[in-house]
Amino acid sequence: MGESITDGTLAKFLKGPGDRVELDEPIAQIETDKVTIDVASPEAGVIKELVAKEGETVEPGTKIAVISKSGEGVAHVAPSEKIPEKAAPKPPSAEKAKEDKPQPKVETVSEKPKAPSPPPPKRTATEPQLPPKERERRVPMTRLRKRVATRLKDSQNTFAMLTTFNEVDMTNLMKLRSEYKDAFLEKHGVKLGLMSGFVKAAVSGLQNQPIINAVIDGDDIIYRDYIDISIAVGTSKGLVVPVIRNADKMNFADIEKEINTLAKKANDGSISIDEMAGGSFTISNGGVYGSLLSTPIINPPQSAILGMHSIVQRPMVVGGNVVPRPMMYIALTYDHRLIDGREAVFFLRRIKDVVEEPRRLLLDI
């Protein structure tokens, strides 16, 4: 594991007793606060014994299994035999719990048969009627989900967060993508999306308002002379935020390729901790899920986050006439301890200007 990781949860074994493993073949998965890591076999041989159990917290150096090079003394366990071992203890405990609950009531009635049983209390109209426990499921949180929850709550407790909004006419950016998407794909081997346009607009905005790319450290302000854009990606296991390094030195094709690579790694669980470390500014695109408007939470230790939303056709006044336009709401949540409303509004205006007229990037105006 990396130096920043002190422990993890043994998510599951990929191999069982009696299974043959080769050198560097994954035999288990460890779930950490940020990523899921495969545990590779240090030797070729046969799994003799599983020492640790799934769900246990393990530290670097913990023995989790024993591998026999010769295969002697290994009792092969068929898959059908593994299931009852883990599943068998659960039903008795559940049945016992159900049996134990009504017993005290039965004994109480039998000990005092002469005492009249009190009438059942009448329910008032305001008394809540809770559903039975049998209709609820308790599932432990994953380490990634717990880590995200802790970071977001720390963000709320630390930053003086304020959100400002604007709206963007997407006509020209969508027209640009429509006209050049085929030529772009043919030359660069990747599709031209809207995210690269917003990344380039964010780079321009951060260069115009460097305070948004800065961060508070004690009584000092650290100005970053680099722009690393974090892209929030939702996965089945939770939210991860891979980083596009030196986004200010990339063109549209470089950004699209990097986004596709990082998103693919995030979804299949192969993204590394180094690829999520750092970042000076975050972009979160809730519009892909249909979000119309939201107030994103800052990704610490950054000072601001840009929220993108869904594109909706709305009537707009253009040249004195009411015409339908594809519009998007954008939101900037920022740390008001460091960033004033003036800088935040100017930053969003720069995003709006660049997205509505991408030719500004070519002329640097």
Side-chain angles (χ1 to χ4, degrees):
M1 296 185 181
E3 294 181 358
S4 61
I5 299 179
T6 58
D7 59 23
T9 300
L10 182 55
K12 65 178 178 178
F13 278 104
L14 305 178
K15 297 290 183 179
D19 290 345
R20 175 76 184 178
V21 294
E22 303 298 333
L23 178 64
D24 293 332
E25 182 179 1
I27 62 174
Q29 288 185 337
I30 304 292
E31 191 178 76
T32 70
D33 296 342
K34 298 181 179 179
V35 294
T36 299
I37 301 173
D38 288 334
V39 178
S41 174
E43 298 286 347
V46 180
I47 300 290
K48 182 179 180 181
E49 179 187 0
L50 300 181
V51 179
K53 296 180 180 179
E54 293 182 355
E56 285 187 355
T57 299
V58 292
E59 300 177 354
T62 302
K63 182 190 293 185
I64 64 171
V66 178
I67 298 175
S68 172
K69 293 184 181 180
S70 62
E72 295 179 358
V74 177
H76 183 76
V77 181
S80 60
E81 297 175 1
K82 296 179 183 177
I83 298 173
E85 291 179 8
K86 295 181 181 179
K90 295 182 181 178
S93 62
E95 293 176 2
K96 185 177 180 182
K98 293 180 181 178
E99 293 174 0
D100 290 347
K101 290 180 181 178
Q103 284 179 2
K105 296 181 181 179
V106 176
E107 292 175 2
T108 303
V109 175
S110 61
E111 290 175 0
K112 298 179 180 180
K114 296 180 181 180
S117 58
K122 295 182 179 180
R123 293 185 179 272
T124 62
T126 59
E127 184 178 351
Q129 298 184 16
L130 302 178
K133 295 295 183 181
E134 291 78 8
R135 296 175 60 186
E136 299 177 350
R137 291 182 296 114
R138 184 181 294 271
V139 179
M141 292 175 67
T142 63
R143 294 182 67 91
L144 176 59
R145 173 55 60 189
K146 287 190 287 187
R147 180 61 175 168
V148 170
T150 300
R151 286 176 60 84
L152 293 181
K153 190 56 186 173
D154 289 344
S155 177
Q156 283 188 322
N157 294 338
T158 302
F159 300 135
M161 286 193 287
L162 185 64
T163 305
T164 184
F165 303 91
N166 212 320
E167 58 181 356
V168 178
D169 187 342
M170 300 294 293
T171 300
N172 289 334
L173 186 59
M174 294 175 67
K175 182 179 178 182
L176 178 72
R177 184 179 67 167
S178 178
E179 289 180 355
Y180 294 102
K181 62 180 181 179
D182 294 334
F184 190 88
L185 176 61
E186 182 179 352
K187 180 175 181 179
H188 301 292
V190 64
K191 293 182 179 180
L192 176 60
L194 297 177
M195 183 58 80
S196 57
F198 275 89
V199 170
K200 294 291 289 185
V203 168
S204 178
L206 293 172
Q207 290 172 337
N208 279 270
Q209 302 295 329
I211 190 65
I212 295 179
N213 202 44
V215 66
I216 293 178
D217 184 22
D219 294 331
D220 300 325
I221 299 175
I222 299 177
Y223 286 89
R224 294 151 167 162
D225 295 328
Y226 60 90
I227 297 178
D228 290 349
I229 304 291
S230 303
I231 305 293
V233 178
T235 69
S236 58
K237 294 184 179 181
L239 182 71
V240 295
V241 192
V243 181
I244 301 176
R245 310 284 179 191
N246 299 314
D248 51 324
K249 296 179 174 60
M250 290 183 172
N251 57 28
F252 280 78
D254 295 334
I255 294 173
E256 290 291 352
K257 290 176 182 177
E258 188 69 7
I259 290 175
N260 284 354
T261 300
L262 294 173
K264 188 177 296 183
K265 287 184 177 181
N267 285 312
D268 62 23
S270 63
I271 193 166
S272 67
I273 295 175
D274 291 338
E275 289 172 317
M276 294 188 293
S280 59
F281 182 77
T282 296
I283 299 178
S284 176
N285 186 8
V288 296
Y289 306 112
S291 171
L292 179 64
L293 193 61
S294 68
T295 55
I297 298 179
I298 297 172
N299 178 27
Q302 299 171 14
S303 298
I305 179 173
L306 175 68
M308 298 169 54
H309 300 91
S310 58
I311 301 173
V312 179
Q313 290 284 342
R314 295 206 302 272
M316 304 298 294
V317 178
V318 180
N321 299 317
V322 178
V323 295
R325 291 283 189 172
M327 303 297 295
M328 174 194 288
Y329 288 121
I330 56 175
L332 180 74
T333 299
Y334 57 97
D335 186 358
H336 208 352
R337 299 176 305 163
L338 176 66
I339 304 167
D340 293 331
R342 175 178 177 271
E343 286 82 10
V345 171
F346 282 173
F347 175 84
L348 270 194
R349 284 297 304 270
R350 183 60 183 173
I351 298 285
K352 174 181 174 67
D353 291 343
V354 172
V355 172
E356 290 187 345
E357 188 50 78
R359 288 178 294 183
R360 287 177 176 270
L361 294 174
L362 296 176
L363 301 176
D364 192 22
I365 57 174

